[in-house]
Amino acid sequence: MVVKSRVRAVITYQAKLLLVQHQGYNTWCLPGGGIEAGEGLKDALKRELFEELGVHADIGKLLVVHQFKEDGYYQGPEFFFEVTNPHDFVQLDIRNTSHGQAEIAKAEFKDPSQTENIRPSFLNQLLHQQDMLVVLE
């Protein structure tokens, strides 16, 4: 089994988080994806956001490092970064992106506390905590 590290974007606008729903899944998560060999964390996140959402992101500070279990095995860590240009993500059009339509079914700013099937479940805390750097298991 290959364990792959991932990067995720925390994009807040009007007290809501930008969440995506991938094709074929009913769960909501933060946009982002896998880190390619030799790629820096922030560069990987910029690439993923442009490929999926068509927006050039300004990446801010690291907020959370999270590792989760799937099928009984720990997966590679996920690195959650703030994005400092949220206004650029308000009106998304993924039709002209390289990966957006193939991978993303929906992308919306949502209130995590009012959203079912959200992963990971701690996302609603991100809106209410400042200067958070936490390692969760």
Side-chain angles (χ1 to χ4, degrees):
M1 169 179 11
V2 175
V3 177
K4 190 169 188 177
S5 296
R6 301 186 184 288
V7 286
R8 299 284 178 197
V10 178
I11 306 170
T12 60
Y13 181 75
Q14 297 181 345
K16 294 181 179 180
L17 277 174
L18 180 62
L19 298 172
V20 296
Q21 196 172 62
H22 287 90
Q23 297 286 355
Y25 294 90
N26 68 345
T27 55
W28 291 93
C29 63
L30 294 174
I35 302 165
E36 301 294 333
E39 193 172 38
L41 296 175
K42 289 184 177 184
D43 289 336
L45 186 53
K46 287 180 184 182
R47 176 187 49 76
E48 284 287 342
L49 293 175
F50 188 72
E51 287 176 354
E52 293 179 358
L53 303 175
V55 178
H56 292 283
D58 296 331
I59 309 301
K61 65 185 173 185
L62 177 66
L63 299 173
V64 177
V65 177
H66 176 257
Q67 187 177 29
F68 64 96
K69 269 187 175 177
E70 186 173 56
D71 299 327
Y73 295 97
Y74 279 107
Q75 300 298 309
E78 290 186 308
F79 300 88
F80 293 74
F81 286 90
E82 74 174 329
V83 171
T84 59
N85 59 325
H87 290 86
D88 294 341
F89 291 83
V90 172
Q91 295 198 11
L92 295 171
D93 183 359
I94 62 172
R95 291 177 293 179
N96 294 320
T97 63
S98 63
H99 292 69
Q101 284 189 298
E103 296 179 11
I104 305 296
K106 297 179 188 175
E108 302 173 13
F109 281 95
K110 298 178 77 65
D111 179 346
S113 66
Q114 304 295 316
T115 304
E116 292 186 26
N117 297 322
I118 192 168
R119 291 179 124 190
S121 59
F122 69 81
L123 287 180
N124 62 349
Q125 299 169 9
L126 289 177
L127 288 177
H128 306 293
Q129 296 188 18
Q130 301 262 335
D131 300 320
M132 184 165 91
L133 176 60
V134 180
V135 178
L136 300 173
E137 241 184 74

